[in-house]
């Protein structure tokens, strides 16, 4: 299995976490960094453990002086396999949307110059985000931790992006999300934990861990009434292909 979105530098004891994840069948993971501090932390960790490097400026980190951050990002991005986590957030405490869009546009361009996919954060902003992707001609990446309607999911897929399925699906009350995921072909899905964030059902209040990825695979298999091995094989192929 491949965990396509997590924050390795925010895990406590990342090296042990990698050992546990490997034992639980996680063969690779896409490590995201959201701000200058986590870029530095993640780059430093590269010497100790293997991961696919993601570098980006998170929409909640957008700020008036962000141009300096973005220039710094452009300077260190050559080793990144993904640009992320970036995107848009329309939550009540999020920075002004124009600042978020400015940072997003910069990173869409960066992804195209580097020819790498985007790992996208979207909170109540799927349509606005899709519009920016279309404007920028972006057509490769993942809507991480996707939450939205089936219609929005189809528009995401139409734009060339994969749907990232995370811990939210393990909650029975997430009925709408569960219906959307059931309706989508496995060929359009990848799995993720977003560890240490987004705790799974039964682990609320705990730091999330990448070895729990199999619970997400199992939930997808149960909901779709298919073999878990198929879920694992196809989502893993999708993830591999994304960064190939
Ligand atoms: Zn994340």
């Amino acid at each position: 299995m491949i965990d396509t979105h997590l924050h390795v530098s925010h895990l406590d004891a990342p090296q042990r976490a990698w050992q546990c994840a490997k034992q639980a069948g996680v063969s690779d993971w896409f490590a995201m960094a959201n701000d200058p501090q986590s870029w530095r932390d993640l780059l430093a960790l590269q010497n100790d453990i293997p991961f696919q490097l993601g570098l980006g400026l998170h929409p909640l980190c957008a700020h008036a002086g962000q141009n300096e951050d973005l220039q710094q990002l452009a300077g260190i991005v050559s080793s990144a396999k993904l640009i992320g986590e970036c995107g848009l957030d329309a939550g009540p405490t999020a920075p002004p949307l124009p600042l978020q869009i400015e940072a997003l546009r910069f990173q869409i361009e960066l992804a195209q110059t580097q020819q790498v996919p985007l790992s996208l954060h979207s909170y109540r902003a799927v349509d606005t985000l899709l519009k920016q992707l279309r404007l920028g001609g972006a057509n490769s990446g993942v809507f991480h931790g996707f939450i939205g309607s089936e219609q929005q999911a189809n528009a995401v897929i139409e734009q060339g992006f994969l749907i990232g399925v995370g811990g939210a699906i393990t909650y029975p009350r997430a009925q709408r999300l569960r219906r959307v995921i059931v309706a989508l072909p496995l060929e359009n899905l990848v799995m993720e934990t977003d560890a240490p964030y987004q705790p799974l059902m039964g682990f609320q209040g705990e730091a999330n861990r990448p070895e729990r990825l199999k619970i997400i695979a199992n939930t997808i298999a149960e909901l779709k009434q298919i073999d878990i091995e198929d879920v694992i094989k196809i989502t893993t192929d999708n993830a591999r292909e994304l960064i190939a």
Side-chain angles (χ1 to χ4, degrees), residues 147-212:
I147 294 184
S149 68
E150 193 180 337
Q151 196 187 358
Q152 287 172 322
N154 285 323
V156 164
I157 292 165
E158 185 121 326
Q159 188 60 30
F161 285 76
L162 293 158
I163 301 285
V165 184
I169 201 177
T170 61
Y171 292 83
R173 67 163 187 269
Q175 287 180 30
R176 184 177 82 148
L177 177 65
R178 286 179 155 201
R179 276 197 302 272
V180 171
I181 300 304
V182 167
L184 297 176
L186 280 178
E187 283 67 23
N188 300 118
L189 307 181
V190 287
M191 303 193 293
E192 59 168 70
T193 61
D194 202 13
Y197 308 108
Q198 307 261 4
L200 273 55
M201 167 85 178
F203 300 97
Q204 293 96 321
E206 275 181 42
N208 194 8
R209 306 171 60 89
E211 68 259 34
R212 294 182 184 146

Side-chain angles (χ1 to χ4, degrees), residues 5 7 34 85 144 194 197:
H5 185 111
H7 298 271
N34 293 351
E85 162 172 10
H144 119 76
D194 202 13
Y197 308 108

